[in-house]
Amino acid sequence: MLLVHDIAQSLNLIRQHIRTLADCEQLPLQLAGGRILAAPVKASEDVPPFCRSQVDGLAVWAADTFGASETIPAILAYQGEVQMGRPVEFRLQPGQCAYVPTGGELPAGADAMVMIEQVEDLGDGLRQVSQSVSPGTHLTRQGDDITAGTTVFRAGRRLNATDLGTLAALGLATVPVVRRPRVAILSTGDELIEPDTRPGPGQIYDVNRYTLAETVRLHGGEPVISGIVRDDLTILQQALGQALGTCDLVLVSGGSSVGTRDYVAAAINSLGEPGVILHGIAVKPGKPTMAGVCNGKLVLGLPGHPVAAWFMAHWLAGPVLAWLQGSQPLYKPTVQAMTACRIPSNHGREEFVLVTLQNGDQPLAVPVFAKSGLITLLSRSDGYIRIPRDCEGLPQGAPVSVYLL
Amino acid sequence: MLLVHDIAQSLNLIRQHIRTLADCEQLPLQLAGGRILAAPVKASEDVPPFCRSQVDGLAVWAADTFGASETIPAILAYQGEVQMGRPVEFRLQPGQCAYVPTGGELPAGADAMVMIEQVEDLGDGLRQVSQSVSPGTHLTRQGDDITAGTTVFRAGRRLNATDLGTLAALGLATVPVVRRPRVAILSTGDELIEPDTRPGPGQIYDVNRYTLAETVRLHGGEPVISGIVRDDLTILQQALGQALGTCDLVLVSGGSSVGTRDYVAAAINSLGEPGVILHGIAVKPGKPTMAGVCNGKLVLGLPGHPVAAWFMAHWLAGPVLAWLQGSQPLYKPTVQAMTACRIPSNHGREEFVLVTLQNGDQPLAVPVFAKSGLITLLSRSDGYIRIPRDCEGLPQGAPVSVYLL
């Protein structure tokens, strides 16, 4: 149970304990962007709801135009103009035509559009068409986009801008989405102080609450900043118990020193079954990460170092937030680059190496070598590369995928 | 003025008319993620504010350990333990050592840390150190991360999760960010209806308001849905005038038919100088896009087709929103792939071709061939490729960058 897993193994282990939140809420479309569908969406009507023109032009019987050209045009009887958004009061007979603007409804009988550029008004209610069109030309038939009854989106779909458009086209003004997971964020450490106080000797500001809250927000969670917890088992048990009672996931950062680390594990084990399921991950930075489950709720014990805490929140809490919403983890975009120099790594752990990107024929990934634990490291980097656990580093000029920050 | 530009040329032209919004607001850090800094941030104090240990271990004079090893250890006098977050009341003299937990402050005099694993307690207040450490080992000196007085972030920085951590480390609880640009979203067309009504013959739901609002939101703007405007010059002038009075940018979609397009241009020209600056862009889909400026405010006239409207909002309104906030356009991540088949393109316009990605040794980009104007096209695609204006298409197996949706 307490073996050192890598990130993928850790996620597999954690995933077994995650259940999708059962609660959903009905949201107006304009608030549903980025949210996860709680139920499949079936089309109750055809989209488009009628046969629409894609151009400004004449609706025709295609057969009337067969063989028509500049030299041998077809002559059709003009029946009038279709008004946007109004019922079409007439039916087109063979030999007849009608003007339809882009997006307008074709009169019954018509089965093709001729662009207005190919039409000449001969007067006396006659129009000359100098092009042969086949049935279906320049029109979108009723249901071409979505047929009534089809499942448009499955549950778990993360709604993007155009998905909202699709839902709107179906006449939906609201949509059922999974409730945002509430994520408690606790920072442990006797040295930590609130942002609006002045630090005394040996004291530093609590940094992780902001980094973690924003990371949670970006992954679709609702951060609940639960403040600073002193290095005391009883106080930690109390704070953790409260967080577990009100939230769906708990992030505890800190406990970098041996004593505090033990408190976090002890508190998790005291608050429900099965307790700690994972203690230590084969990754640098991030090794002292732990995971516990108390009666179905996950607690992630993250390192105190801001950089390590961010990496672990991004790689572990991110997927957990997707699973809690019944969805898939967010895609992490990468850029292809070449290492600018040799990058050693032989820690027996997977390593995240921060880099800046320099432009060139192929972008160069330049490692940011600096002391660990500096909060500004991430702000000074463009991204990072992952060096696998069993790799002794990368030579200069090696192709690498750079994850963007 | 009315020549057909490509996207880059159009953006260059538009950019000349954009000024950064002067208003800023002071936000608590936890609300500032994704926002743009309105002023540079200087560090008023050192980070860290004191010399901190990176490990659990003994603070020492490094010189006392020089030459120490398993066989010839150094013997030091133990002076006590540093408590996290408390003042260190003693000073370390040569020959002395003190316990410091990870993140704790080093006593004055000490210039290195020895990890606790390298230490043995000999009793009688003596500790044995079996490793030679050099000055600076396992510690972060005061100001190592940020030195007081340095500029940490410039104005225009888009604040990410770890930037918030950096600001917190400086003791800042609030930060000045540029006000979110307000973006009016108008949909024109007599065929359009509100989402909570039932369509009559020839009527369709307004789709673009949602697609555009979410796109605006993702680019840092505040969408203001201004509803549906009938195809009538006076009504359009009135709606546009009101939008210009209350918002920083106006998006008008629709007007796919010739008549309406003319109304939008006429309305822009009637509402301020210089009026329409761009009419038509050499891109597919998106050609009927126009841009106008009325007394310093930009109006983008977008196509009515949802797919075209989305592309143009993403490629034009996105950068404009960044510029309005004094920042750079968002990076658009791509994936390297290979075309699965020949993709023709010879329109004299740059073309966006929607694709799905199929996994393989190298991902395959499979074009989504379908009638234009279908709103579900984007939802059914993974991304798109850009085929340049002067390119007659791509052969099968060509390397392409796929922009992700």
Side-chain angles (χ1 to χ4, degrees), chain A residues 56 145 163 258 371 375-376 379, chain B residues 56 145 163 258 375-376 379:
Chain A
D56 295 329
D145 204 347
D163 292 347
V258 175
K371 291 192 177 181
I375 172 68
T376 49
S379 292
Chain B
D56 295 329
D145 203 347
D163 293 346
V258 175
I375 172 67
T376 49
S379 293

Side-chain angles (χ1 to χ4, degrees), chain A residues 59-66 76 91-96 108-112 133:
Chain A
V60 298
W61 285 66
D64 286 342
T65 71
F66 289 172
L76 299 172
R91 187 185 169 85
L92 219 59
Q93 304 295 339
Q96 298 183 337
D111 63 357
V133 293

Side-chain angles (χ1 to χ4, degrees), chain B residues 94-224:
Chain B
Q96 298 181 337
C97 67
Y99 181 81
V100 183
T102 306
E105 180 170 9
L106 269 71
D111 63 355
M113 288 296 298
V114 177
M115 289 174 81
I116 199 65
E117 291 82 351
Q118 307 291 337
V119 175
E120 201 170 323
D121 186 345
L122 301 178
D124 290 333
L126 296 179
R127 296 291 187 280
Q128 171 178 305
V129 169
S130 56
Q131 194 181 36
S132 173
V133 292
S134 40
T137 299
H138 295 318
L139 56 80
T140 311
R141 288 209 174 79
Q142 178 175 341
D144 255 0
D145 203 347
I146 305 168
T147 314
T150 53
T151 299
V152 180
F153 296 122
R154 280 182 284 195
R157 170 99 182 179
R158 193 183 300 273
L159 296 172
N160 64 26
T162 56
D163 293 346
L164 299 181
T166 298
L167 295 168
L170 293 169
L172 297 170
T174 65
V175 71
V177 298
V178 181
R179 174 169 66 75
R180 266 186 213 287
R182 287 168 57 84
V183 183
I185 296 171
L186 283 85
S187 307
T188 67
D190 285 339
E191 76 279 26
L192 299 183
I193 55 165
E194 297 283 341
D196 46 5
T197 53
R198 294 292 310 164
Q203 298 186 321
I204 59 162
Y205 291 108
D206 177 17
V207 158
N208 287 339
R209 67 165 67 175
Y210 297 110
T211 315
L212 298 180
E214 178 65 6
T215 304
V216 162
R217 197 180 67 80
L218 290 173
H219 287 89
E222 181 191 330
V224 178

Side-chain angles (χ1 to χ4, degrees), chain A residues 310-394:
Chain A
W310 179 81
F311 270 117
M312 291 302 100
H314 189 64
W315 282 87
L316 299 181
V320 167
L321 284 166
W323 296 330
L324 281 170
Q325 293 172 88
S327 186
Q328 295 304 311
L330 287 169
Y331 175 82
K332 295 185 171 66
T334 59
V335 162
Q336 294 309 303
M338 226 167 60
T339 52
C341 60
R342 198 173 79 84
I343 305 179
S345 172
N346 52 2
H347 310 277
R349 294 189 261 159
E350 180 184 16
E351 187 170 359
F352 292 111
V353 176
L354 289 164
V355 298
T356 57
L357 285 170
Q358 280 179 6
N359 282 326
D361 275 353
Q362 197 179 4
L364 277 183
V366 186
V368 177
F369 287 120
K371 291 192 177 181
S372 69
L374 304 189
I375 172 68
T376 49
L377 278 184
L378 280 161
S379 292
R380 281 188 265 144
S381 307
D382 296 315
Y384 56 91
I385 56 179
R386 296 176 72 179
I387 302 184
R389 191 175 185 172
D390 48 6
C391 168
E392 299 221 337
L394 300 171

Side-chain angles (χ1 to χ4, degrees), chain A residues 109-130:
Chain A
D111 63 357
M113 289 294 300
V114 176
M115 289 174 80
I116 199 67
E117 291 82 352
Q118 307 292 337
V119 175
E120 201 170 323
D121 187 345
L122 301 179
D124 289 332
L126 295 180
R127 297 291 186 282
Q128 169 177 306
V129 169
S130 56

